[in-house]
Amino acid sequence: MTTPMLAGDRGLTADEVAARVEAGAVNDAKRHTSRPISAILRANFLTPLNAVIAVLAAIAIGFTAMEEGLLEGLKQGLFAGVIIANIAIGTIQELRAKRTLDKLSLLNQSNAKVLRDGEIQEIEPNRIVRDDLVYVEPGDRIMVDGPVVESRNLEIDESLLTGEADPVAKVHGDAVRSGSFAVAGTGLFRAEQIGADSYAAKLVEEASRFTLARSELRDGINRFIKLINWLIVPIALLLIISQLADAGNWRETIVKTVAGIVPMIPEGLVLLTSVAFAVGVIRLGARRCLVQELPAIEGLARTDVLCLDKTGTLTEGGMDIAEIRPVDGADPAVVIDALAALAAADDSPNPTMQAVDEHLREQGHADPAWRVIDVMPFSSARKWSGTRFTDHGTWLLGAPDVLLDPGDAMALDADVLAAQGLRVLALVTAESASTTGGISGVKAQALVVLRQRLRSTAAATLAYFKEQGVAVKIISGDSPAAVGAVAAQLGVEGAAETVDARRLPEDPDELADLLERATIFGRVKPHQKQAFVKALQSRGHTVAMTGDGVNDVLALKDADLGIAMGSGSSAARSVAQVVLLDDEFATLPYVVDEGRRVLGNIGRVSNVFLTKTVYAISLALFIAVGAIWSWIAGNDPLPYPFLPIHQSLINVFTIGLPAFFLALAPTFDRARPGFVKRVLKFAIPAGICCAVPTFVVYLASLAHDGYDSDLPQTTAAITLFCLALAALAIVAKPYVWWKALLVGGCAAAFVTVLAVPPFARFYELQLPGAWNTTAAAIGVASGVSALLFWLVVRPKHLKD
């Protein structure tokens, strides 16, 4: 397109650009939209847990092979196969998620505009070269650093760099820096600091991901891992020392010790969490929803207050002119010419001015070619724009309640129209006006009435959030009456009780009290949106904020979850954690559902994995103490009841296979805080209820069948499997057909292993006799009864 600037400089020529590219003077700093492949492989393969499992597998295989041959050794190392499968699944899903993210990020990428050969060209940011003249208009991010060459009332918001909310006016020679963004006016600046060596590259990365979305899920799992690491080492050492008392059968003792250590490690929990996040990214990507930070998936699931910017969220992009109503005494022809001249003078028209220009062109009204002295661009803080003409004075277009006296007849007409859900602007002349010195000598000329296009899905989406118990706050820079009318059309409760943000209390506590009561807010300035978010957060709310314009950036940045529209400004998209690429507000319920699926299912999976860890640690501790006591008393040493192959069998049918399906299942329960506490309140009693009966049954079977029989370990394996399956059955509720089939199928698979001789021999088990079956049944009944008793007497636990 042809440049609207007045600068004599035509920018770099094609030959000059080519020379700089050849010299490497290119803005080659790259923003990573997803983890590189090397990082994904490293995160899935090279982990401390995988290293521990690999060492234990090598020990089990090696010591068994020394005694019984390589095939028997590989059989005892079968538990490592679960890790291999988890690594493969996790890697594949993360690579699929990366591909989805990269594709969506290309759609979300903001191009730069540069002046070359006398024309404004749109290019990718990494094609900017040194000395390029970069053109910016409202909503554009500053991607490189340099001095302003030309300014038409250019104002830059540097809040992401300095924390100051007020825009900074930029004139010739002033520096602009990356990480800031244009909020008003237009301008050209020279790209001087570019590429990875510049301060600019670091700030682009920082502005694009200013804060990491907090993940209680991720933090909770990390806490589990740290706690388990502290417990495993001393208990494993105690188990090793206690089992070495059986010096005559030291190879089998070492292998059984490995079997005691392996189930203490929640080896698949971290990987399944990554898989759940990755699948969430893929599912949301199919709905053209870009998740710029993976933990943000759970953000909206935890949200209990959703702040909506009316324009662009509840309404569609663009507006239609309903009426141009000149004031009594004004010349309609002059009014039309003034509007056409204002539209022609605006270098970067906002949607309102675009609607005016489109309407006048459709009506055949051409630009009257009024000569321009100065242009005052629209600012969301001022609520007006204007132009000073050589022969026609100063004309302004903006909010009636800002430009007109409240008692003016035209202001009253504007209020009536706004109450009908229409957007109303006042066209006035002024004796003087400036962006810093205010306005004087205002004379009303006309009302410009616009009809906003409500999104067809907005009412249903708002109803969804109401059903889910998420409070909605509608925030807009429009008049309270107009915002209230739109809210009423969408069925929002409290639409009749609107609040004018110009009369908001300054005290943060009073503001928070008002926000708890009210729903609809009009005439809200950008810094007030930010104050709204902070006030709600001060009352313990998890706040999500939607927006599409530069006036939403501060609030998007400070919200627990920022959600930007894909067609919105690049500044808004750069600070948001979630971008709705198709601008569809109705996508938000799917984001909520996906977040709830991740949180709910990882909670279930964590219950299962941590139950296994607790019963493994408890059994190891019981056996170690029992073995030491037997050694002191001079009795036969107490061996660990299981071989690694037994743990492989139990784990695959009570944890590995079921956990994979549960991690990806649909769930719609609202997320609640207290993830760690909730999981531990189930896993600790469930693990103990599995370990104690198994240990008691094992001791009883040793006394009955002797140390040389395989029946004690078979009886213990049956008891532990049934108790672990019972814990899984409790975790899997509420039941649907496939969950019942999953639990029943796992039980049937274990019974098949016991009943089919080749399988039983492979897993070194045998069918139990009547005595052993009765002992196992009593152990299972006592463990399940104890766990159910715990759950019944803890109603709060059930609610969690």
Side-chain angles (χ1 to χ4, degrees):
M1 62 180 178
T2 304
T3 174
M5 306 303 294
L6 301 177
D9 196 335
R10 293 175 54 82
L12 298 177
T13 65
D15 290 340
E16 290 171 330
V17 171
R20 283 163 174 76
V21 171
E22 182 72 22
V26 182
N27 184 46
D28 58 358
K30 297 180 180 179
R31 176 189 168 203
H32 296 294
T33 56
S34 62
R35 289 201 297 180
I37 293 176
S38 59
I40 292 174
L41 295 176
R42 188 165 56 250
N44 281 279
F45 281 86
L46 305 179
T47 68
L49 292 183
N50 287 352
V52 172
I53 293 292
V55 170
L56 293 175
I59 292 172
I61 293 170
F63 281 93
T64 303
M66 291 170 61
E67 185 77 20
E68 303 178 42
L70 181 59
L71 290 178
E72 285 297 316
L74 291 174
K75 185 174 74 171
Q76 295 302 335
L78 196 61
F79 61 86
V82 177
I83 299 300
I84 295 171
N86 282 337
I87 290 174
I89 293 169
T91 302
I92 291 169
Q93 293 291 4
E94 281 211 57
L95 290 174
R96 287 183 63 201
K98 172 182 169 58
R99 185 172 61 183
T100 300
L101 276 174
D102 290 346
K103 286 181 179 179
L104 294 177
S105 295
L106 286 176
L107 298 175
N108 188 50
Q109 179 176 275
S110 301
N111 286 335
K113 294 181 280 289
V114 295
L115 177 61
R116 292 178 179 175
D117 290 320
E119 292 187 347
I120 296 292
Q121 303 176 18
E122 285 202 18
I123 63 173
E124 296 175 1
N126 58 5
R127 291 177 55 204
I128 296 173
V129 300
R130 183 173 289 116
D131 298 325
D132 252 331
L133 293 183
V134 183
Y135 175 69
V136 292
E137 56 189 354
D140 286 348
R141 275 194 305 136
I142 308 300
M143 300 178 183
V144 294
D145 299 352
V148 173
V149 172
E150 183 168 345
S151 169
R152 282 191 173 184
N153 298 291
L154 180 64
E155 296 181 18
I156 302 293
D157 188 315
E158 299 180 340
S159 59
L160 297 181
L161 310 179
T162 65
E164 297 294 330
D166 294 333
V168 179
K170 297 291 184 178
V171 297
H172 179 81
D174 287 347
V176 295
R177 297 189 297 167
S178 57
S180 57
F181 53 93
V183 293
T186 56
L188 284 170
F189 73 93
R190 179 171 285 106
E192 289 189 348
Q193 294 174 300
I194 63 174
D197 334 336
S198 70
Y199 181 57
K202 300 175 184 177
L203 291 181
V204 167
E205 183 72 15
E206 184 177 347
S208 298
R209 291 184 306 199
F210 196 76
T211 55
L212 286 175
R214 178 181 174 272
S215 170
E216 185 184 349
L217 190 63
R218 177 190 57 202
D219 295 344
I221 289 174
N222 288 339
R223 287 174 63 187
F224 289 145
I225 298 299
K226 289 179 182 178
L227 177 63
I228 291 164
N229 286 341
W230 279 104
L231 291 173
I232 284 178
V233 174
I235 293 176
L237 287 174
L238 184 63
L239 180 63
I240 291 170
I241 293 169
S242 69
Q243 294 298 293
L244 289 178
D246 187 10
N249 198 11
W250 61 275
R251 290 189 182 91
E252 183 177 344
T253 297
I254 290 176
V255 173
K256 285 191 173 184
T257 303
V258 169
I261 297 173
V262 167
M264 298 183 196
I265 304 169
E267 70 283 349
L269 181 56
V270 176
L271 285 170
L272 278 178
T273 302
S274 298
V275 168
F277 275 132
V279 171
V281 167
I282 295 167
R283 287 176 172 172
L284 291 177
R287 296 187 177 275
R288 295 177 62 81
C289 176
L290 171 61
V291 181
Q292 304 202 94
E293 298 171 13
L294 291 186
I297 291 178
E298 67 178 275
L300 196 51
R302 298 190 186 281
T303 295
D304 58 357
V305 177
L306 177 61
C307 295
L308 302 175
D309 179 63
K310 175 181 69 66
T311 306
T313 302
L314 300 179
T315 60
E316 294 180 351
M319 287 172 281
D320 301 315
I321 300 294
E323 181 185 6
I324 297 175
R325 183 184 296 183
V327 70
D328 291 342
D331 186 341
V334 174
V335 166
I336 296 299
D337 283 347
L339 286 170
L342 287 171
D346 197 335
D347 291 340
S348 52
N350 60 19
T352 301
M353 191 61 79
Q354 290 173 9
V356 170
D357 184 48
E358 182 179 339
H359 174 77
L360 294 178
R361 289 178 185 275
E362 289 176 355
Q363 298 298 317
H365 298 296
D367 176 13
W370 290 3
R371 287 186 295 171
V372 175
I373 298 174
D374 187 26
V375 176
M376 292 161 282
F378 176 80
S379 162
S380 58
R382 290 190 297 271
K383 307 295 185 188
W384 58 267
S385 62
T387 304
R388 187 160 59 250
F389 299 101
T390 303
D391 303 316
H392 299 85
T394 300
W395 288 76
L396 309 176
L397 182 66
D401 49 354
V402 173
L403 296 177
L404 302 177
D405 186 276
D408 191 296
M410 197 165 77
L412 298 176
D413 288 345
D415 288 341
V416 173
L417 291 166
Q420 301 170 21
L422 298 168
R423 186 170 189 181
V424 185
L425 300 176
L427 178 67
V428 304
T429 55
E431 293 179 2
S432 66
S434 71
T435 57
T436 57
I439 309 169
S440 64
V442 172
K443 182 178 180 181
Q445 298 294 331
L447 289 179
V448 179
V449 185
L450 301 100
R451 184 179 296 106
Q452 300 179 95
R453 306 165 188 168
L454 292 179
R455 292 189 181 275
S456 59
T457 56
T461 305
L462 290 173
Y464 167 85
F465 283 113
K466 180 181 177 181
E467 291 174 3
Q468 299 301 317
V470 178
V472 172
K473 309 294 178 184
I474 298 179
I475 300 169
S476 176
D478 287 351
S479 71
V483 184
V486 169
Q489 293 177 49
L490 296 173
V492 177
E493 292 182 0
E497 300 175 6
T498 59
V499 177
D500 191 327
R502 291 171 296 186
R503 293 188 285 273
L504 287 176
E506 295 292 333
D507 182 72
D509 287 335
E510 292 182 17
L511 176 61
D513 289 338
L514 178 60
L515 285 164
E516 294 282 2
R517 300 191 305 269
T519 302
I520 314 297
F521 299 85
R523 291 293 176 236
V524 181
K525 294 183 178 181
H527 72 276
Q528 289 178 312
K529 293 183 180 183
Q530 183 184 33
F532 282 16
V533 170
K534 290 183 176 179
L536 288 165
Q537 289 171 333
S538 72
R539 295 299 172 88
H541 293 295
T542 301
V543 182
M545 174 77 194
T546 71
D548 64 348
V550 293
N551 58 322
D552 302 316
V553 169
L554 297 177
L556 287 172
K557 177 178 71 69
D558 283 352
D560 295 288
L561 184 70
I563 305 164
M565 297 295 168
S567 65
S569 69
S570 62
R573 299 198 307 273
S574 70
V575 299
Q577 285 96 12
V578 174
V579 181
L580 306 180
L581 293 173
D582 58 0
D583 289 352
E584 187 49 70
F585 177 49
T587 303
L588 286 183
Y590 295 101
V591 180
V592 173
D593 289 344
E594 199 58 43
R596 291 179 175 180
R597 184 194 63 78
V598 170
L599 265 67
N601 292 333
I602 294 303
R604 290 191 180 95
V605 169
S606 298
N607 282 338
V608 174
F609 274 101
L610 269 297
T611 295
K612 181 196 75 166
T613 296
V614 171
Y615 75 60
I617 289 175
S618 301
L619 271 176
L621 190 60
F622 296 160
I623 294 294
V625 172
I628 293 173
W629 178 262
S630 296
W631 177 70
I632 293 173
N635 297 326
D636 291 335
L638 181 64
Y640 191 80
F642 306 120
L643 291 169
I645 192 67
H646 300 144
Q647 296 288 11
S648 298
L649 177 64
I650 294 170
N651 291 345
V652 75
F653 289 122
T654 62
I655 298 168
L657 186 64
F660 178 77
F661 286 101
L662 291 178
L664 303 180
T667 185
F668 304 103
D669 296 334
R670 180 178 171 183
R672 293 174 297 277
F675 169 73
V676 171
K677 181 180 178 182
R678 200 161 52 247
V679 171
L680 290 179
K681 284 177 68 176
F682 179 86
I684 291 176
I688 292 173
C689 288
C690 290
V692 172
T694 300
F695 180 66
V696 172
V697 167
Y698 176 58
L699 291 181
S701 185
L702 280 176
H704 182 269
D705 300 306
Y707 282 70
D708 296 330
S709 172
D710 288 338
L711 282 172
Q713 66 185 29
T714 297
T715 308
I718 293 172
T719 305
L720 182 58
F721 176 86
C722 293
L723 289 168
L725 192 69
L728 171 67
I730 294 172
V731 166
K733 63 186 177 107
Y735 274 91
V736 291
W737 67 268
W738 67 266
K739 287 184 180 179
L741 185 62
L742 177 65
V743 175
C746 289
F750 187 80
V751 171
T752 302
V753 168
L754 287 176
V756 178
F759 291 160
R761 284 194 298 272
F762 179 83
Y763 284 102
E764 301 190 24
L765 297 172
Q766 64 185 87
L767 276 174
W771 188 95
N772 300 92
T773 302
T774 303
I778 293 173
V780 171
S782 62
V784 172
S785 299
L787 180 56
L788 291 177
F789 177 76
W790 170 267
L791 296 179
V792 168
V793 299
R794 297 276 184 172
K796 184 180 178 182
H797 179 84
L798 284 177
K799 293 177 184 177
D800 290 341

